[in-house]
Amino acid sequence: SLKSEIWIEYGIQTSNNDTLKRINRGHDFANVIKTITKTKNMGLNVCGHIIYGLPGESRDDWERTFVDTIRLGVDSIKFHPMYVTKNTLLAKEYFEEKFIPINEKDYIDILVWSIKNLPENISIQRMTAGVDTLLAPDWCRYKNEQMSHIIKALKDSGVKV
């Protein structure tokens, strides 16, 4: 018999209910827990996307989201920095100086911390992301440069790359 590997991806983004409301996700973290638990109970692989640098969040929020995501039993994670794209409500806030994007150092610091704390049974499918309609942060424009900075930081912290 043929067996297929099936993955379901969920945009967890954050476990902070205030942030989920602020970014108009339309659900709370309890809904994420319920949905991922149901998916895992069906025997499917789950990849969770988390975003570092969401509006109003701090390093504590990012660490909590990471830990909460691990507790969900995901099989893989995609890490993303929060970026501002054209023609969005966040772009309006950015231009009004009501939102300051995550800087590269803070993103790399939390990413390295996350990878160092990642259980061995959970894979990483993405460490950064960018988009053609990017407004900010500018450092997200250059994916090869981002990756070289991330790899250097991982090596400097003792992570085998």
Side-chain angles (χ1 to χ4, degrees):
S1 76
L2 285 172
K3 283 194 165 195
S4 297
E5 183 175 8
I6 299 174
W7 284 82
I8 306 294
E9 297 193 20
Y10 290 106
I12 297 166
Q13 319 314 20
T14 181
S15 61
N16 182 318
N17 284 324
D18 292 334
T19 303
L20 288 169
K21 185 175 182 177
R22 181 178 178 322
I23 65 172
N24 300 313
R25 289 298 288 176
H27 61 79
D28 61 12
F29 193 64
N31 184 262
V32 172
I33 294 168
K34 178 181 170 188
T35 302
I36 290 179
T37 300
K38 187 174 181 180
T39 303
K40 292 295 297 172
N41 287 342
M42 292 172 27
L44 299 171
N45 295 308
V46 172
C47 177
H49 296 233
I50 57 179
I51 298 176
Y52 293 139
L54 286 162
E57 289 202 341
S58 66
R59 170 75 184 236
D60 287 343
D61 294 306
W62 307 337
E63 289 181 10
R64 191 172 317 107
T65 292
F66 173 80
V67 170
D68 290 343
T69 298
I70 298 307
R71 287 183 181 147
L72 291 171
V74 297
D75 302 287
S76 190
I77 296 180
K78 289 186 179 180
F79 297 101
H80 302 264
M82 182 68 220
Y83 48 79
V84 182
T85 57
K86 296 176 184 175
N87 304 314
T88 62
L89 291 174
L90 191 60
K92 182 179 183 299
E93 289 184 29
Y94 172 71
F95 287 125
E96 293 171 351
E97 298 181 359
K98 294 178 182 174
F99 173 73
I100 299 170
I102 189 170
N103 64 55
E104 186 177 27
K105 180 191 180 313
D106 288 346
Y107 181 72
I108 290 175
D109 286 350
I110 188 62
L111 182 64
V112 168
W113 179 88
S114 299
I115 291 169
K116 289 183 84 161
N117 287 283
L118 190 69
E120 288 185 15
N121 64 313
I122 300 176
S123 64
I124 300 168
Q125 290 191 19
R126 181 177 296 144
M127 291 192 289
T128 190
V131 63
D132 292 338
T133 57
L134 180 76
L135 291 174
D138 196 52
W139 61 268
C140 283
R141 293 186 194 287
Y142 313 103
K143 193 157 186 181
N144 289 339
E145 193 173 308
Q146 282 180 64
M147 287 305 299
S148 69
H149 294 167
I150 290 167
I151 290 168
K152 180 182 182 320
L154 287 168
K155 285 179 180 177
D156 289 350
S157 74
V159 174
K160 192 174 180 180
V161 183

